[in-house]
Amino acid sequence: MQTVHRYMIEDYSGSLVMQNLMRIVGNKDYFIVTSNCDTHFQMNGFAEERIFEVEGNFDGLIMRSPAWESEQQRFQDFVEQGGLKTVIVFELGIGMRNTMIKKPLMDMVRDHPSWRYITLNMPQEIYVPDGIKDRSIAISGDIAETFELMVKEVEKDK
């Protein structure tokens, strides 16, 4: 297990994709729900209190612990506070068959008329149910390349 920890966490030094995501998010109110268990969001400057790692993480092998429950509660608080605001669920690279995160988030979009859904994935992995298609955007392509284009647009608008 030490080898996994070293590979996933100790040897990780950040990525341009995460840095670009941080630039796109900017000062917006955000909350990250992720199945990644590598703490890479935290290591790239995203606030720990704004992250819910639904499968736990390898940093300390946390899963279903009080820390996990605290993450879940912070996410629920964020959702309740954002009920009337426009919330954008921005799904990045979740496989079409991975319903653990995908379905509950799509259901939340369906249940909140002011919410929007954006999925960025490879063409064969994109899925948007009929109930939210009118409030969704599906972008097919490479995340790194798409983020670079998005950052240019965000910075152009400043």
Side-chain angles (χ1 to χ4, degrees):
M1 190 51 94
Q2 182 62 25
T3 303
V4 171
H5 190 274
R6 181 177 297 117
Y7 175 75
M8 296 297 290
I9 298 172
E10 294 172 28
D11 292 344
Y12 179 75
S13 62
S15 76
L16 184 57
V17 168
M18 290 286 200
Q19 292 165 13
N20 282 337
L21 179 58
M22 179 61 91
R23 291 167 75 186
I24 291 165
V25 169
N27 293 326
K28 296 171 186 68
D29 192 16
Y30 69 89
F31 203 98
I32 296 167
V33 179
T34 181
S35 62
N36 292 357
C37 39
D38 51 22
T39 68
H40 289 186
F41 283 99
Q42 296 90 322
M43 294 164 80
N44 280 279
F46 289 91
E48 187 171 327
E49 67 275 6
R50 294 176 171 264
I51 300 170
F52 177 24
E53 298 164 306
V54 298
E55 295 179 358
N57 71 54
F58 288 127
D59 192 20
L61 300 175
I62 299 168
M63 183 167 183
R64 306 274 183 200
S65 67
W68 184 88
E69 291 171 5
S70 177
E71 288 180 1
Q72 183 178 24
Q73 184 60 53
R74 287 193 307 266
F75 173 63
Q76 288 173 342
D77 293 346
F78 179 84
V79 168
E80 288 171 13
Q81 294 167 0
L84 299 176
K85 294 190 293 186
T86 298
V87 171
I88 297 174
V89 174
F90 194 23
E91 177 229 304
L92 304 173
I94 300 174
M96 187 167 63
R97 289 172 198 81
N98 182 345
T99 59
M100 184 161 89
I101 295 178
K102 206 174 185 80
K103 184 177 180 341
L105 292 174
M106 289 177 171
D107 289 348
M108 283 190 242
V109 172
R110 183 196 64 223
D111 295 342
H112 294 88
S114 64
W115 289 26
R116 305 293 180 259
Y117 187 80
I118 300 172
T119 178
L120 173 54
N121 214 325
M122 300 311 289
Q124 69 275 13
E125 295 296 335
I126 289 180
Y127 169 71
V128 178
D130 291 337
I132 64 171
K133 278 190 178 176
D134 62 331
R135 294 180 284 131
S136 299
I137 298 172
I139 304 168
S140 64
D142 179 86
I143 291 174
E145 293 171 9
T146 303
F147 277 6
E148 285 183 34
L149 294 171
M150 291 175 82
V151 165
K152 289 177 184 175
E153 287 299 314
V154 166
E155 291 178 349
K156 184 172 73 173
D157 290 341
K158 287 184 180 181

